[in-house]
Amino acid sequence: MRIATWNVNSLRARIDRVADFLKRHDVDVLALQETKVKDDKFPRERFDELGYEIAFHGLNQWNGVAIASRVGLQDVTVAFPEQPGWGDDEPVVEARALGATVGGGTREDGTAVPRVRLWSLYVPNGREIGHPHMDYKLRWLHTLAGHAGQWAAEETPLVLMGDFNVAPLDTDVWDIAAFEGLTHVTPPEREAFGALEQAGLVDVVRPHTETDTYTYWDYQQLRFPKRQGMRIDFALGSPSFAELVTGAFVDREERKGKGASDHAPVVVELGGSEAGTRA
């Protein structure tokens, strides 16, 4: 089975690229973030045409998450328990988290498909050091970590996929000196990310990629051609999920060309020889 995560930075603007990506890499399950589309405007027909069930959650033109699957889609959950909201008077629980159970059956050729509990997550950005949005980000991550340990201990393999808006290691940015006084690399953010690892989750992509493998390049200042990127998109799996992983890669090609998102998809392969033989 092949699963992927991608912050598409506006799904309707990039639906053709998403469709081509699903076909090219033979993806079974895709977690999407920053879809930027209300539910009543979501292009579900395109996924129907491609043979994917789709679950989505979008409240306005910002944020938004979705999960597309051609191997089953069950137990869809919008938001995690006690998910913090954003706002002063009446905090709104934004469209940043969507969970579903995928797989668990067999293909037409009799090959077993692993059953996985997957969350598509779009962690708040934090905006600036000292900004209220940074406190929101930290509370969001710590609340998530508070549930992740229980989820990871359950029988069904678990993976949290998406844009975490944290670069946990200095090598996850092109030049740590360039981030002096900026978000994404501060000790509180890294501590909050580390709480997920302390809850028992493992970065299943890093062992299969090079040290300078990035997933995000800002549109400004020619960051992409200069290879000035960040690794902020992750797949964090429970031990039982990590045992299923046979490979992973970042599709840097999707950051190229007209109409590209500023993020590249991250792909994870599960299973034995089946995953290794699919191009």
Side-chain angles (χ1 to χ4, degrees), residues 78-85 92-98 119 121 136 140 143 147:
V78 174
F80 52 83
E82 296 91 38
Q83 180 176 318
V92 174
V93 176
E94 298 180 303
R96 293 182 176 273
L98 186 70
W119 282 86
L121 302 172
Y136 169 50
W140 205 96
T143 304
H147 296 290

Side-chain angles (χ1 to χ4, degrees), residues 98-162:
L98 186 70
T101 301
V102 299
T106 57
R107 300 185 190 278
E108 293 181 358
D109 62 2
T111 305
V113 179
R115 180 179 174 86
V116 172
R117 182 63 178 174
L118 182 150
W119 282 86
S120 179
L121 302 172
Y122 180 39
V123 177
N125 178 279
R127 298 184 183 175
E128 299 175 1
I129 295 175
H131 193 284
H133 208 263
M134 176 62 78
D135 176 64
Y136 169 50
K137 176 180 188 175
L138 298 177
R139 287 187 290 110
W140 205 96
L141 281 168
H142 281 297
T143 304
L144 175 65
H147 296 290
Q150 177 182 344
W151 296 343
E154 295 176 356
E155 183 178 356
T156 302
L158 168 76
V159 62
L160 309 185
M161 307 187 79

Side-chain angles (χ1 to χ4, degrees), residues 223-245:
R223 295 297 189 198
F224 183 69
K226 292 179 180 178
R227 302 188 66 85
Q228 295 178 345
M230 305 172 67
R231 187 196 290 254
I232 59 175
D233 301 83
F234 296 93
L236 304 181
S238 64
S240 59
F241 180 86
E243 291 177 357
L244 297 172
V245 176

